[in-house]
Amino acid sequence: MMIAPSILNANNIDLKNDIENAVEAGISRFHIDIMDGHFVPNLSFGPQLIKDFKREFPMTNAEIHLMSNAPDKLVPSFVEAGADLIELHYEAMDQPKLYYWLDYLASNGVDTALAISPDTSVDVIKQYLPLLKQVLVMTVKPGFGGQSFIPESIDRIKAVREIVGPDFDIEVDGGINDQTIKLAKDAGANIFVVGSYLYENGNISGQVHKLEKIIK
Ligand code: DX5
Ligand code: ZN
């Protein structure tokens, strides 16, 4: 079980402080949302943030959630910036491109995940499994932090767990809080992206510990 904070809704002017607080609370992986204003109607961070993150926190993993249909431009830059894991969206490119970039990541020593949006059939993951480290099941429509968990996600997580078997990482992303984390865990998820819930009351380590207790 692992909590991966999303810094999308952190105070962007004070990111280092928020990241430090989470690292001190035992966090070993951050989920960094990359939005291109095209695949999703929002903009977020670029490769420079990853470079700076890895320089400041070399022992902490940077997981890149790439919400963009311009992988040709972006994937090599994020690899070069030091990404540890890159999550590509099934909906963002055609099959040959997806195979190409999954293979590219593997040959550059970067872990891979396939992300599926709420309206995408979970069956699409089957053909890519041998190339993947994990599957990312979106539990909100990608694009913004602070949305509500979509209840139908529970059955989708269960279906993905059936497909991948017991020893494969299933990450969930969107609307995770002290209620939904338990539902997602019981359905079969083992990695939990948490954004706005962590920044709700200014006590990041307190929020991390609260969630950890629930999923223990
Ligand atoms: C949404 C992003 C999420 C988001 C999570 O497109 O992929 O990672 O920042 O934030 P919360 O936990 O607030 O839904
Ligand atoms: Zn995300």
Side-chain angles (χ1 to χ4, degrees):
M1 298 292 155
M2 188 196 290
I3 290 170
S6 156
I7 55 173
L8 189 64
N9 279 18
N11 178 350
N12 280 205
I13 301 297
D14 206 13
L15 271 184
K16 186 172 179 188
N17 190 38
D18 282 356
I19 295 170
E20 254 164 11
N21 284 341
V23 169
E24 274 161 26
I27 291 300
S28 59
R29 182 199 289 192
F30 278 82
H31 175 92
I32 302 175
D33 291 300
I34 306 302
M35 302 180 172
D36 69 350
H38 186 62
F39 178 67
V40 288
N42 196 3
L43 284 171
S44 60
F45 312 108
Q48 182 68 40
L49 180 81
I50 311 310
K51 229 179 245 174
D52 294 343
F53 175 92
K54 291 302 294 185
R55 194 186 56 237
E56 298 283 338
F57 302 96
M59 307 307 286
T60 308
N61 284 336
E63 167 182 281
I64 307 304
H65 179 190
L66 190 66
M67 285 164 272
S68 171
N69 37 21
D72 310 19
K73 289 182 192 142
L74 297 181
V75 172
S77 322
F78 282 102
V79 168
E80 204 194 319
D84 296 289
L85 188 157
I86 297 188
E87 314 191 282
L88 301 173
H89 260 274
Y90 172 80
E91 305 81 14
M93 60 200 92
D94 62 21
Q95 189 176 316
K97 261 218 168 134
L98 197 42
Y99 273 115
Y100 174 84
W101 287 113
L102 289 173
D103 187 57
Y104 174 93
L105 291 172
S107 43
N108 279 279
V110 177
D111 285 337
T112 58
L114 187 62
I116 50 170
S117 292
D119 292 337
T120 301
S121 160
V122 298
D123 289 329
V124 304
I125 64 172
K126 286 180 184 161
Q127 61 177 308
Y128 300 101
L129 279 183
L131 299 168
L132 303 176
K133 175 81 174 38
Q134 72 183 31
V135 171
L136 170 58
V137 179
M138 290 305 298
T139 47
V140 297
K141 237 173 115 177
F144 296 92
Q147 303 181 73
S148 299
F149 183 90
I150 298 173
E152 288 75 19
S153 306
I154 295 301
D155 285 340
R156 293 167 55 73
I157 300 164
K158 284 183 187 161
V160 172
R161 180 53 77 200
E162 283 216 346
I163 294 170
V164 301
D167 299 322
F168 199 87
D169 287 338
I170 300 178
E171 182 176 60
V172 285
D173 182 12
I176 299 296
N177 57 32
D178 53 2
Q179 307 294 314
T180 54
I181 198 166
K182 174 90 173 79
L183 302 175
K185 183 203 165 203
D186 291 345
N190 64 309
I191 303 179
F192 309 89
V193 176
V194 188
S196 42
Y197 178 81
L198 287 187
Y199 311 105
E200 228 164 51
N201 59 7
N203 180 4
I204 293 175
S205 58
Q207 297 292 82
V208 167
H209 293 317
K210 227 194 268 177
L211 293 178
E212 276 172 351
K213 238 189 224 162
I214 299 170
I215 55 175
K216 228 179 227 165

